[in-house]
Every structure is written in C-alpha cells, then in structure tokens.
C-alpha cells in the first residue's frame, strides 16, 4: 500500500511517499515559497540500492494546488518517477496541528472532521488554515484516495484535568476551551513505541519521559504508556526554551512590554515566538552554531546553553515527581539526537533519581536507537531518532484498514 504523507504550511508542502507494506520510503521533499516570486521544489527519490538522488526546481509555484500537482508530476515522471500512476496512492495522511478536544486519535477525513478542524482555527490560527488547504487540494488531486488526519495534539488528550486546566476563571475552559493541549504528539508517541520495542515490554507497562528537541521543543510525561503531562500549552509557546520561542515566562510579561515599551499584541507575539529562545539570548537559533560559539569562548552562547539545559533538567525533575517512578528517558529530534553536550548538561547531577549518562556512550556517534546510560543504570537513557512522517503513514494505514469511523468529541 502506497501512502503519501503531507504537511502543509502557509507557503510550503512537505511530503513523503511510503510503501508501508514493504516498510520503504520511495520519495520525499518539499515545495517552498509557494505564492512568492520564486518557489523552490526539492525532490528526493530513494533508489532501489537505498541511495538517494535529489533534484531541485526553481520558479514560480503560484499556489498549493500547483505545488502538489508538481510534486505528483515528479512522483509519476516516466523516467525518474517512483510510481507509474497517481492512482497507486491509496491514501493521503495529513499532519494537522490542532485537533483541540475533538480528536483523541487519527481519523478518516469527512465533512464532519473538516468542520471540527475549522472550529479549532482560533486555537491554531497559523497552522490549521494551511492544513485545511492541504486537505482540500489533496482531495481534488486524489479524488479516489482516502484522506486521513493525524493530529499533533491527539496523543496528549489523555492528560488529566489537574495537569491541563489553567488556574483562571473556569468559564475560560468551559466556554472557550482555554487549556493545555500539547503538541509534537506524533513524535512523542512514535519514540515511546520505539522505546517499548527496545525494552521488549508492552508500552502500557512503562513510565517514560520523552524529550523532543528540534526547532520547537517539548517534553512529555508518559505513565503506563499514556501521556499525563506535557510542557507545551494551549499553544506551542509554553515550556522549554526553543530555537526562537521563549518557552515559559512570567504570564505578566506581555503587560510589562505593552505598558513600558509600547508594544502591540502583534509585536509581543512576534518577540516571544520569533525573536526569543536561543536566538534571543545569543543571536542564532541553530544549535550547531550556538555550540560552536560556546566552544570559541562566547559567553552569551554559553549562558544560552545553560538556560536551555536547565529548563530541561527542571522538567525532568518535575515529571519524575509526577510519574513517581521512571523506566526510561528518551532524547529525540535534531538536537536531542545530535547534541551530546545538551544531553549531558540536562541530566547532570540526577544520579539520585537513577538517571546517569555514560560520557563515552553519549559522545559516540550513531544513527539508530542508542542507550547512553552506564551499564546497570536504574533508568535507561535512550537516544531515539524520531520519524513523524513514518508514524503518520502507519497511523493512516491503521485507520483505513480498520475503517474506524471518525469519533469527534464535543
Ligand atoms: P524541526 O523542528 O525543524 O524538525 P529538527 O528536529 O531538524 O527541527 O532540529 C533542528 C535543530 O537541530 C537545529 O537547532 C539544529 O542546529 C540542531 N542540530 C542538527 N544537527 C545537530 C548537531 N549535529 N549538533 C547539534 N545540533 C544539531
């Protein structure tokens, strides 16, 4: 079964085509700068020997419809294509950012689902509209394929009320759905399943803390396989320090910025989401550059790394308290998988909790799942590469095979 996974942003479409039965990725890439003067389409196909070849097309991509059509043309290209006909694609798996409280799992898309995603636009005004555009465009280009929505928020819907309710007037939750939702759910779910496989035990028996450190960053506390808390909130701004997002700040900070610096809500939104985090503290949001600067003696970079890792460490302690016992700590995504310095700093001094890192194992390069605690350690500290697209493809296959009717919670 061939499944196309797409992640539609306001000016981009990321895609991967999977042959899920044979556990193979056939092609993938991204159409960027859609609607801008000149767009870029980067297409990578995976050759039968496992190597890949990449081609880049530059030029106007007027809208998402044209973008997806161009992607399809590359997939079915008579010379370099990976499939003969678009009809071979049985389903499209869409990444949808905000499912609100309506979606606790993956669903087949129908009119009711689209209406419920539209209802959540106020919660994710930047993400849900382009996700809906992706669904609409894919529906017109693939009229015979099933369309499936996989929500970033769904994995966190098991979080109990004591952890998701903000201590503000209850009506804000009851009428306006203001609460903690959490994001990166697909990644937290994927790496926790991978961890269970590594442990050789059912996920339902395990307590885990998963730490996703990409450009965005979040942690999840997983008790007996179910998420019970997460660091992001109603929006992805809360929690850990990120590339350009502040993570947790005093909730009164926006009033200070408005009253003393004359900033508008839009300015404040921009500062906290785009100009803060690593970038705000030391001028770059790219962790590789921050570490390089620190190695060259840049003090601001050094303190930025300390703030970044201190926040992770603080949440490890908090989630240890929430879970009461811990089997595994999982680092994932660009930084979690590739920055031993951050892993070391975040876990420093936690041996009383059974969390220890073996310096040699931590610094050893590798690609797959790696255990970086010393042998015999109480808590396994794992590095697990995330693969949100693969998880979306598998979820898509699972729901279309089981023909689960959308369950929408109201
Ligand atoms: P996204 O959220 O965009 O998917 P990624 O998971 O790709 O992000 O993570 C991007 C981050 O990972 C960047 O800050 C990048 O600098 C960092 N990163 C990638 N490789 C390394 C590396 N070898 N060492 C340190 N940081 C790395």
């Amino acid at each position: 079964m061939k499944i196309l996974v797409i992640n539609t942003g306001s000016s981009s479409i990321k895609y991967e085509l999977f042959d899920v039965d044979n556990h193979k990725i056939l092609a993938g890439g991204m159409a960027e700068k859609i609607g801008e003067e000149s767009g870029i389409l980067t297409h990578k196909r995976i050759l039968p020997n496992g190597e890949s070849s990449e081609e880049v097309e530059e030029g106007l991509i007027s809208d998402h419809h044209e973008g997806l059509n161009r992607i399809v043309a590359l997939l079915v290209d008579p010379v370099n294509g990976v499939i003969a006909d678009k009809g071979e694609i049985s389903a499209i798996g869409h990444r949808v950012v905000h499912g609100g409280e309506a979606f606790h799992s993956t669903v087949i898309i129908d009119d009711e689902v689209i209406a419920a995603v539209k209802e959540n636009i106020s919660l994710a005004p930047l993400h849900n509209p382009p996700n809906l555009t992706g669904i609409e465009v894919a529906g017109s280009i693939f009229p015979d394929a099933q369309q499936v929505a996989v929500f970033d928020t769904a994995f966190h819907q098991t979080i109990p009320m004591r952890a998701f309710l903000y201590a503000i007037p209850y009506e804000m939750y009851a009428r306006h759905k203001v609460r903690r939702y959490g994001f990166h759910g697909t990644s937290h779910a994927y790496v926790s399943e991978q961890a269970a496989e590594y442990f050789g035990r059912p996920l339902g028996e395990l307590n885990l803390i998963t730490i996703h450190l990409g450009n965005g960053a979040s942690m999840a506390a997983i008790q007996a396989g179910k998420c019970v808390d997460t660091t992001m909130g109603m929006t992805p701004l809360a929690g850990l320090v990120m590339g350009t997002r502040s993570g947790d700040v005093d909730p009164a900070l926006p009033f200070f910025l408005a009253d003393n610096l004359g900033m508008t809500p839009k300015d404040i939104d921009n500062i906290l989401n785009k100009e803060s985090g690593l970038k705000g503290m030391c001028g770059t949001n790219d962790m590789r550059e921050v570490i390089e600067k620190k190695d060259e003696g840049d003090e601001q970079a050094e303190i930025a790394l300390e703030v970044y890792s201190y926040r992770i460490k603080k949440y490890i302690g908090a989630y240890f308290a929430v879970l009461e016992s811990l089997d595994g700590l999982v680092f994932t995504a660009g930084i979690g998988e590739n920055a031993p310095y951050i892993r070391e700093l975040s876990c420093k001094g936690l041996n009383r909790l059974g969390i220890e890192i073996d310096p040699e194992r931590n610094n050893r390069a590798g690609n797959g799942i790696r255990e970086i605690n010393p042998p015999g350690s109480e808590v396994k500290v794992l590095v697990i590469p995330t693969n949100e697209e693969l998880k979306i493809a598998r979820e898509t296959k699972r729901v279309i095979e089981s023909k689960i009717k959308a369950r929408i919670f109201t």
Side-chain angles (χ1 to χ4, degrees):
M1 180 190 288
K2 313 259 171 38
I3 291 179
L4 181 65
V5 171
I6 66 175
N7 179 359
T8 313
S10 56
S11 62
S12 67
I13 305 173
K14 281 193 201 155
Y15 62 97
E16 279 189 12
L17 179 63
F18 289 91
D19 177 348
V20 273
D21 299 324
N22 295 312
H23 309 285
K24 272 200 330 212
I25 170 168
L26 302 175
M30 170 146 88
E32 295 170 83
K33 304 196 174 193
I34 295 173
E36 293 180 23
E37 217 166 274
S38 182
I40 307 170
L41 176 48
T42 311
H43 178 74
K44 203 190 238 183
R45 69 195 169 96
I46 313 300
L47 305 170
N49 63 6
E51 286 175 11
S52 61
S53 78
E54 188 176 283
E55 52 196 296
V56 179
E57 291 180 1
E58 289 189 28
L60 177 74
I61 307 172
S62 56
D63 57 18
H64 287 82
H65 197 272
E66 186 189 335
L68 190 55
N69 258 330
R70 297 253 301 265
I71 291 166
V72 172
L74 288 166
L75 294 173
V76 301
D77 183 83
V79 182
N80 286 324
V82 291
I83 50 173
D85 185 272
K86 69 177 182 180
E88 282 180 44
I89 296 174
S90 329
I92 319 289
H94 295 269
R95 176 182 183 201
V96 182
V97 168
H98 216 310
E101 288 192 320
F103 299 102
H104 295 200
S105 60
T106 301
V107 292
I108 295 176
I109 297 171
D110 59 16
D111 291 346
E112 231 183 318
V113 169
I114 290 177
V117 174
K118 280 188 180 153
E119 266 181 38
N120 286 318
I121 286 180
S122 61
L123 294 170
L126 296 181
H127 294 105
N128 277 17
N131 294 161
L132 282 162
T133 304
I135 292 169
E136 195 186 304
V137 165
S140 72
I141 295 176
F142 296 94
D144 301 324
Q146 300 248 37
Q147 302 228 41
V148 169
V150 182
F151 297 93
D152 265 15
T153 47
F155 180 65
H156 303 301
Q157 278 296 305
T158 46
I159 293 178
M161 203 172 204
R162 63 175 175 274
F164 78 62
L165 192 66
Y166 294 134
I168 57 175
Y170 188 76
E171 187 181 90
M172 297 288 176
Y173 169 60
R175 284 195 53 192
H176 304 290
K177 301 282 182 216
V178 171
R179 51 160 286 183
R180 179 187 306 282
Y181 288 98
F183 300 86
H184 292 143
T186 312
S187 176
H188 290 291
Y190 177 78
V191 297
S192 53
E193 285 161 13
Q194 293 288 108
E197 243 176 70
Y198 184 83
F199 273 86
R201 288 168 62 191
L203 181 55
E205 284 179 6
L206 296 175
N207 283 1
L208 303 169
I209 296 174
T210 49
I211 308 175
H212 176 110
L213 306 175
N215 275 313
S218 68
M219 289 170 59
I222 297 166
Q223 190 164 48
K226 298 240 181 313
C227 183
V228 292
D229 205 351
T230 190
T231 53
M232 283 179 166
M234 184 174 86
T235 75
L237 182 56
L240 300 180
V241 176
M242 310 181 212
T244 62
R245 293 185 207 131
S246 62
D248 295 339
V249 290
D250 186 325
L253 175 62
F255 314 126
F256 175 88
L257 297 176
D259 294 345
N260 292 282
L261 305 180
M263 287 187 178
T264 63
K266 208 165 168 228
D267 296 334
I268 298 170
D269 187 331
N270 192 54
I271 284 276
L272 296 180
N273 274 298
K274 305 245 168 76
E275 301 296 335
S276 295
L278 292 172
K279 184 178 177 194
M281 289 186 290
C282 72
T284 171
N285 61 312
D286 186 317
M287 182 54 90
R288 278 166 293 207
E289 287 176 27
V290 184
I291 293 175
E292 258 171 48
K293 282 179 162 204
K294 184 265 303 173
D295 289 342
E296 287 160 7
D298 183 321
E299 282 177 20
Q300 249 175 288
E302 184 168 356
I303 189 69
L305 293 171
E306 281 182 22
V307 174
Y308 185 94
S309 307
Y310 175 76
R311 187 84 51 88
I312 299 169
K313 179 174 174 175
K314 202 158 83 167
Y315 273 112
I316 293 174
Y319 286 172
F320 193 98
V322 166
L323 296 172
E324 296 172 359
S325 76
L326 186 64
D327 299 293
L329 189 72
V330 179
F331 284 95
T332 192
I335 297 167
E337 291 165 32
N338 298 301
Y341 181 69
I342 297 296
R343 298 193 294 253
E344 181 197 320
L345 221 53
S346 313
C347 293
K348 209 167 175 187
L350 297 181
N351 45 331
R352 289 285 294 274
L353 303 183
I355 299 169
E356 280 177 279
I357 287 195
D358 179 302
E360 201 270 319
R361 285 178 162 187
N362 186 35
N363 284 297
R364 203 186 294 158
N367 288 320
I369 300 186
R370 280 160 287 152
E371 185 174 325
I372 58 168
N373 51 278
S377 203
E378 222 174 297
V379 173
K380 282 201 191 307
V381 183
L382 303 173
V383 176
I384 302 186
T386 194
N387 195 335
E388 291 165 273
E389 293 74 21
L390 177 62
K391 173 74 178 155
I392 294 174
R394 287 181 180 165
E395 280 285 293
T396 301
K397 175 177 152 77
R398 182 180 65 77
V399 295
I400 59 176
E401 284 185 346
S402 61
K403 300 205 166 46
I404 296 172
K405 170 81 186 90
R407 176 125 193 261
I408 302 173
F409 296 78
T410 47

